[in-house]
PDB file of all heavy atoms in Angstrom:
ATOM      1  N   GLY A 530      -8.446  75.097  70.422  1.00 74.00           N
ATOM      2  CA  GLY A 530      -8.096  76.242  71.094  1.00 74.00           C
ATOM      3  C   GLY A 530      -6.641  76.750  70.714  1.00 74.00           C
ATOM      4  O   GLY A 530      -6.476  77.493  69.759  1.00 74.00           O
ATOM      5  N   GLU A 531      -5.533  76.058  71.263  1.00 70.00           N
ATOM      6  CA  GLU A 531      -4.347  76.575  71.054  1.00 70.00           C
ATOM      7  C   GLU A 531      -3.781  75.994  69.554  1.00 70.00           C
ATOM      8  O   GLU A 531      -4.456  75.177  69.035  1.00 70.00           O
ATOM      9  CB  GLU A 531      -3.261  75.958  72.071  1.00 70.00           C
ATOM     10  CG  GLU A 531      -3.344  76.837  73.282  1.00 70.00           C
ATOM     11  CD  GLU A 531      -2.204  76.229  74.339  1.00 70.00           C
ATOM     12  OE1 GLU A 531      -1.211  76.141  74.004  1.00 70.00           O
ATOM     13  OE2 GLU A 531      -2.662  75.818  75.397  1.00 70.00           O
ATOM     14  N   ASP A 532      -2.698  76.581  69.238  1.00 83.00           N
ATOM     15  CA  ASP A 532      -2.114  76.252  67.908  1.00 83.00           C
ATOM     16  C   ASP A 532      -1.974  74.793  67.699  1.00 83.00           C
ATOM     17  O   ASP A 532      -1.206  74.170  68.410  1.00 83.00           O
ATOM     18  CB  ASP A 532      -0.724  76.906  67.831  1.00 83.00           C
ATOM     19  CG  ASP A 532      -0.809  78.454  67.793  1.00 83.00           C
ATOM     20  OD1 ASP A 532      -1.954  78.999  67.662  1.00 83.00           O
ATOM     21  OD2 ASP A 532       0.285  79.004  68.000  1.00 83.00           O
ATOM     22  N   SER A 533      -2.677  74.237  66.738  1.00 89.00           N
ATOM     23  CA  SER A 533      -2.554  72.739  66.419  1.00 89.00           C
ATOM     24  C   SER A 533      -3.370  72.565  65.138  1.00 89.00           C
ATOM     25  O   SER A 533      -4.325  73.307  64.867  1.00 89.00           O
ATOM     26  CB  SER A 533      -3.121  71.953  67.597  1.00 89.00           C
ATOM     27  OG  SER A 533      -4.443  72.338  67.777  1.00 89.00           O
ATOM     28  N   PRO A 534      -3.024  71.486  64.419  1.00 92.00           N
ATOM     29  CA  PRO A 534      -3.722  71.082  63.241  1.00 92.00           C
ATOM     30  C   PRO A 534      -5.121  70.490  63.510  1.00 92.00           C
ATOM     31  O   PRO A 534      -5.376  69.997  64.603  1.00 92.00           O
ATOM     32  CB  PRO A 534      -2.969  70.058  62.603  1.00 92.00           C
ATOM     33  CG  PRO A 534      -2.015  69.459  63.610  1.00 92.00           C
ATOM     34  CD  PRO A 534      -1.929  70.459  64.728  1.00 92.00           C
ATOM     35  N   ASN A 535      -5.995  70.697  62.559  1.00 92.00           N
ATOM     36  CA  ASN A 535      -7.362  70.002  62.618  1.00 92.00           C
ATOM     37  C   ASN A 535      -7.143  68.512  62.338  1.00 92.00           C
ATOM     38  O   ASN A 535      -6.447  68.180  61.393  1.00 92.00           O
ATOM     39  CB  ASN A 535      -8.171  70.753  61.489  1.00 92.00           C
ATOM     40  CG  ASN A 535      -9.651  70.153  61.468  1.00 92.00           C
ATOM     41  OD1 ASN A 535      -9.985  68.966  61.904  1.00 92.00           O
ATOM     42  ND2 ASN A 535     -10.570  70.979  61.121  1.00 92.00           N
ATOM     43  N   LEU A 536      -7.735  67.744  63.179  1.00 93.00           N
ATOM     44  CA  LEU A 536      -7.416  66.288  63.109  1.00 93.00           C
ATOM     45  C   LEU A 536      -8.540  65.449  62.376  1.00 93.00           C
ATOM     46  O   LEU A 536      -8.504  64.241  62.355  1.00 93.00           O
ATOM     47  CB  LEU A 536      -7.202  65.643  64.561  1.00 93.00           C
ATOM     48  CG  LEU A 536      -5.887  66.120  65.118  1.00 93.00           C
ATOM     49  CD1 LEU A 536      -5.765  65.488  66.489  1.00 93.00           C
ATOM     50  CD2 LEU A 536      -4.768  65.844  64.282  1.00 93.00           C
ATOM     51  N   PHE A 537      -9.534  66.172  61.813  1.00 93.00           N
ATOM     52  CA  PHE A 537     -10.648  65.379  61.193  1.00 93.00           C
ATOM     53  C   PHE A 537     -10.082  64.712  59.917  1.00 93.00           C
ATOM     54  O   PHE A 537      -9.498  65.267  59.071  1.00 93.00           O
ATOM     55  CB  PHE A 537     -11.897  66.301  60.812  1.00 93.00           C
ATOM     56  CG  PHE A 537     -12.833  65.504  59.947  1.00 93.00           C
ATOM     57  CD1 PHE A 537     -13.621  64.666  60.522  1.00 93.00           C
ATOM     58  CD2 PHE A 537     -12.854  65.831  58.515  1.00 93.00           C
ATOM     59  CE1 PHE A 537     -14.559  63.897  59.702  1.00 93.00           C
ATOM     60  CE2 PHE A 537     -13.855  65.068  57.708  1.00 93.00           C
ATOM     61  CZ  PHE A 537     -14.639  64.104  58.341  1.00 93.00           C
ATOM     62  N   GLY A 538     -10.063  63.393  60.047  1.00 93.00           N
ATOM     63  CA  GLY A 538      -9.657  62.455  58.949  1.00 93.00           C
ATOM     64  C   GLY A 538      -8.003  62.342  58.988  1.00 93.00           C
ATOM     65  O   GLY A 538      -7.444  61.944  58.022  1.00 93.00           O
ATOM     66  N   TRP A 539      -7.521  62.568  60.228  1.00 94.00           N
ATOM     67  CA  TRP A 539      -6.047  62.434  60.303  1.00 94.00           C
ATOM     68  C   TRP A 539      -5.545  61.116  59.801  1.00 94.00           C
ATOM     69  O   TRP A 539      -6.165  60.022  60.273  1.00 94.00           O
ATOM     70  CB  TRP A 539      -5.576  62.711  61.747  1.00 94.00           C
ATOM     71  CG  TRP A 539      -4.235  62.632  62.009  1.00 94.00           C
ATOM     72  CD1 TRP A 539      -3.242  63.492  61.857  1.00 94.00           C
ATOM     73  CD2 TRP A 539      -3.473  61.430  62.507  1.00 94.00           C
ATOM     74  NE1 TRP A 539      -1.932  63.067  62.044  1.00 94.00           N
ATOM     75  CE2 TRP A 539      -2.029  61.729  62.496  1.00 94.00           C
ATOM     76  CE3 TRP A 539      -3.808  60.135  62.819  1.00 94.00           C
ATOM     77  CZ2 TRP A 539      -1.167  60.807  62.874  1.00 94.00           C
ATOM     78  CZ3 TRP A 539      -2.915  59.273  63.208  1.00 94.00           C
ATOM     79  CH2 TRP A 539      -1.492  59.583  63.296  1.00 94.00           C
ATOM     80  N   GLY A 540      -4.615  61.052  58.766  1.00 94.00           N
ATOM     81  CA  GLY A 540      -4.129  59.753  58.472  1.00 94.00           C
ATOM     82  C   GLY A 540      -4.808  59.273  57.287  1.00 94.00           C
ATOM     83  O   GLY A 540      -4.426  58.219  56.657  1.00 94.00           O
ATOM     84  N   SER A 541      -6.039  59.788  57.024  1.00 95.00           N
ATOM     85  CA  SER A 541      -6.807  59.244  55.764  1.00 95.00           C
ATOM     86  C   SER A 541      -6.112  59.907  54.582  1.00 95.00           C
ATOM     87  O   SER A 541      -5.344  60.811  54.603  1.00 95.00           O
ATOM     88  CB  SER A 541      -8.187  59.836  55.922  1.00 95.00           C
ATOM     89  OG  SER A 541      -8.297  61.221  55.731  1.00 95.00           O
ATOM     90  N   THR A 542      -6.490  59.258  53.505  1.00 95.00           N
ATOM     91  CA  THR A 542      -5.972  59.710  52.213  1.00 95.00           C
ATOM     92  C   THR A 542      -6.255  61.327  51.944  1.00 95.00           C
ATOM     93  O   THR A 542      -5.220  61.909  51.460  1.00 95.00           O
ATOM     94  CB  THR A 542      -6.602  58.929  50.898  1.00 95.00           C
ATOM     95  OG1 THR A 542      -6.551  57.533  51.300  1.00 95.00           O
ATOM     96  CG2 THR A 542      -6.072  59.261  49.754  1.00 95.00           C
ATOM     97  N   ARG A 543      -7.431  61.753  52.352  1.00 94.00           N
ATOM     98  CA  ARG A 543      -7.748  62.959  52.091  1.00 94.00           C
ATOM     99  C   ARG A 543      -6.769  63.978  52.929  1.00 94.00           C
ATOM    100  O   ARG A 543      -6.203  64.960  52.457  1.00 94.00           O
ATOM    101  CB  ARG A 543      -9.275  63.309  52.425  1.00 94.00           C
ATOM    102  CG  ARG A 543      -9.676  64.556  52.815  1.00 94.00           C
ATOM    103  CD  ARG A 543     -11.133  64.656  52.922  1.00 94.00           C
ATOM    104  NE  ARG A 543     -11.811  63.624  53.789  1.00 94.00           N
ATOM    105  CZ  ARG A 543     -13.109  63.607  54.082  1.00 94.00           C
ATOM    106  NH1 ARG A 543     -13.891  64.450  53.600  1.00 94.00           N
ATOM    107  NH2 ARG A 543     -13.454  62.687  54.977  1.00 94.00           N
ATOM    108  N   TRP A 544      -6.669  63.685  54.196  1.00 96.00           N
ATOM    109  CA  TRP A 544      -5.948  64.393  55.147  1.00 96.00           C
ATOM    110  C   TRP A 544      -4.478  64.439  54.822  1.00 96.00           C
ATOM    111  O   TRP A 544      -3.731  65.545  54.758  1.00 96.00           O
ATOM    112  CB  TRP A 544      -6.093  63.946  56.558  1.00 96.00           C
ATOM    113  CG  TRP A 544      -5.614  64.905  57.643  1.00 96.00           C
ATOM    114  CD1 TRP A 544      -6.367  65.826  58.288  1.00 96.00           C
ATOM    115  CD2 TRP A 544      -4.359  65.025  58.048  1.00 96.00           C
ATOM    116  NE1 TRP A 544      -5.600  66.495  59.275  1.00 96.00           N
ATOM    117  CE2 TRP A 544      -4.264  65.933  59.123  1.00 96.00           C
ATOM    118  CE3 TRP A 544      -3.190  64.339  57.828  1.00 96.00           C
ATOM    119  CZ2 TRP A 544      -3.138  66.516  59.760  1.00 96.00           C
ATOM    120  CZ3 TRP A 544      -1.902  64.748  58.465  1.00 96.00           C
ATOM    121  CH2 TRP A 544      -1.953  65.799  59.444  1.00 96.00           C
ATOM    122  N   THR A 545      -4.010  63.278  54.484  1.00 96.00           N
ATOM    123  CA  THR A 545      -2.470  63.056  54.208  1.00 96.00           C
ATOM    124  C   THR A 545      -2.157  63.904  52.873  1.00 96.00           C
ATOM    125  O   THR A 545      -1.144  64.527  52.823  1.00 96.00           O
ATOM    126  CB  THR A 545      -2.078  61.739  54.233  1.00 96.00           C
ATOM    127  OG1 THR A 545      -2.688  61.068  55.296  1.00 96.00           O
ATOM    128  CG2 THR A 545      -0.592  61.505  54.196  1.00 96.00           C
ATOM    129  N   LYS A 546      -2.978  63.757  51.853  1.00 96.00           N
ATOM    130  CA  LYS A 546      -2.611  64.434  50.644  1.00 96.00           C
ATOM    131  C   LYS A 546      -2.590  65.925  50.867  1.00 96.00           C
ATOM    132  O   LYS A 546      -1.814  66.558  50.352  1.00 96.00           O
ATOM    133  CB  LYS A 546      -3.825  64.136  49.495  1.00 96.00           C
ATOM    134  CG  LYS A 546      -3.533  62.841  48.846  1.00 96.00           C
ATOM    135  CD  LYS A 546      -4.605  62.547  47.701  1.00 96.00           C
ATOM    136  CE  LYS A 546      -4.287  61.444  46.968  1.00 96.00           C
ATOM    137  NZ  LYS A 546      -5.309  61.210  45.803  1.00 96.00           N
ATOM    138  N   ARG A 547      -3.581  66.404  51.539  1.00 95.00           N
ATOM    139  CA  ARG A 547      -3.674  67.856  51.823  1.00 95.00           C
ATOM    140  C   ARG A 547      -2.414  68.309  52.615  1.00 95.00           C
ATOM    141  O   ARG A 547      -1.868  69.305  52.315  1.00 95.00           O
ATOM    142  CB  ARG A 547      -4.967  68.183  52.683  1.00 95.00           C
ATOM    143  CG  ARG A 547      -5.190  69.565  52.732  1.00 95.00           C
ATOM    144  CD  ARG A 547      -6.717  69.817  53.135  1.00 95.00           C
ATOM    145  NE  ARG A 547      -6.867  71.112  53.745  1.00 95.00           N
ATOM    146  CZ  ARG A 547      -6.898  72.211  53.062  1.00 95.00           C
ATOM    147  NH1 ARG A 547      -6.796  72.174  51.729  1.00 95.00           N
ATOM    148  NH2 ARG A 547      -6.990  73.371  53.733  1.00 95.00           N
ATOM    149  N   MET A 548      -2.063  67.404  53.671  1.00 96.00           N
ATOM    150  CA  MET A 548      -0.917  67.741  54.438  1.00 96.00           C
ATOM    151  C   MET A 548       0.358  67.793  53.597  1.00 96.00           C
ATOM    152  O   MET A 548       1.198  68.774  53.812  1.00 96.00           O
ATOM    153  CB  MET A 548      -0.664  66.662  55.510  1.00 96.00           C
ATOM    154  CG  MET A 548       0.505  66.948  56.504  1.00 96.00           C
ATOM    155  SD  MET A 548       0.251  68.321  57.484  1.00 96.00           S
ATOM    156  CE  MET A 548       2.019  68.689  57.703  1.00 96.00           C
ATOM    157  N   ILE A 549       0.555  66.951  52.490  1.00 97.00           N
ATOM    158  CA  ILE A 549       1.696  66.996  51.726  1.00 97.00           C
ATOM    159  C   ILE A 549       1.718  68.215  50.770  1.00 97.00           C
ATOM    160  O   ILE A 549       2.689  68.827  50.616  1.00 97.00           O
ATOM    161  CB  ILE A 549       1.734  65.590  50.860  1.00 97.00           C
ATOM    162  CG1 ILE A 549       1.891  64.457  51.765  1.00 97.00           C
ATOM    163  CG2 ILE A 549       2.798  65.720  49.890  1.00 97.00           C
ATOM    164  CD1 ILE A 549       1.667  63.218  51.112  1.00 97.00           C
ATOM    165  N   GLN A 550       0.447  68.534  50.242  1.00 96.00           N
ATOM    166  CA  GLN A 550       0.388  69.610  49.331  1.00 96.00           C
ATOM    167  C   GLN A 550       0.451  70.959  49.925  1.00 96.00           C
ATOM    168  O   GLN A 550       1.057  71.914  49.386  1.00 96.00           O
ATOM    169  CB  GLN A 550      -0.760  69.354  48.347  1.00 96.00           C
ATOM    170  CG  GLN A 550      -0.723  68.111  47.533  1.00 96.00           C
ATOM    171  CD  GLN A 550      -1.680  68.003  46.459  1.00 96.00           C
ATOM    172  OE1 GLN A 550      -2.921  67.906  46.792  1.00 96.00           O
ATOM    173  NE2 GLN A 550      -1.356  68.189  45.219  1.00 96.00           N
ATOM    174  N   ARG A 551      -0.431  71.130  51.016  1.00 95.00           N
ATOM    175  CA  ARG A 551      -0.583  72.511  51.561  1.00 95.00           C
ATOM    176  C   ARG A 551      -0.451  72.366  53.121  1.00 95.00           C
ATOM    177  O   ARG A 551      -1.502  72.762  53.877  1.00 95.00           O
ATOM    178  CB  ARG A 551      -2.073  72.994  51.207  1.00 95.00           C
ATOM    179  CG  ARG A 551      -2.215  73.046  49.813  1.00 95.00           C
ATOM    180  CD  ARG A 551      -3.577  73.584  49.486  1.00 95.00           C
ATOM    181  NE  ARG A 551      -3.888  73.153  48.074  1.00 95.00           N
ATOM    182  CZ  ARG A 551      -3.512  73.623  46.985  1.00 95.00           C
ATOM    183  NH1 ARG A 551      -2.380  74.483  46.956  1.00 95.00           N
ATOM    184  NH2 ARG A 551      -3.743  73.032  45.766  1.00 95.00           N
ATOM    185  N   PRO A 552       0.816  72.082  53.730  1.00 95.00           N
ATOM    186  CA  PRO A 552       0.898  71.950  55.092  1.00 95.00           C
ATOM    187  C   PRO A 552       0.620  73.264  55.818  1.00 95.00           C
ATOM    188  O   PRO A 552       0.471  73.262  56.997  1.00 95.00           O
ATOM    189  CB  PRO A 552       2.286  71.403  55.235  1.00 95.00           C
ATOM    190  CG  PRO A 552       3.032  71.768  54.047  1.00 95.00           C
ATOM    191  CD  PRO A 552       2.028  71.732  52.934  1.00 95.00           C
TER     192      PRO A 552
END
Side-chain angles (χ1 to χ4, degrees):
Chain A
E531 280 182 57
D532 295 346
S533 57
N535 185 327
L536 292 183
F537 173 69
W539 179 83
S541 67
T542 305
R543 156 174 52 180
W544 192 95
T545 313
K546 276 188 177 178
R547 191 168 158 74
M548 181 65 209
I549 293 166
Q550 295 191 289
R551 305 179 203 288

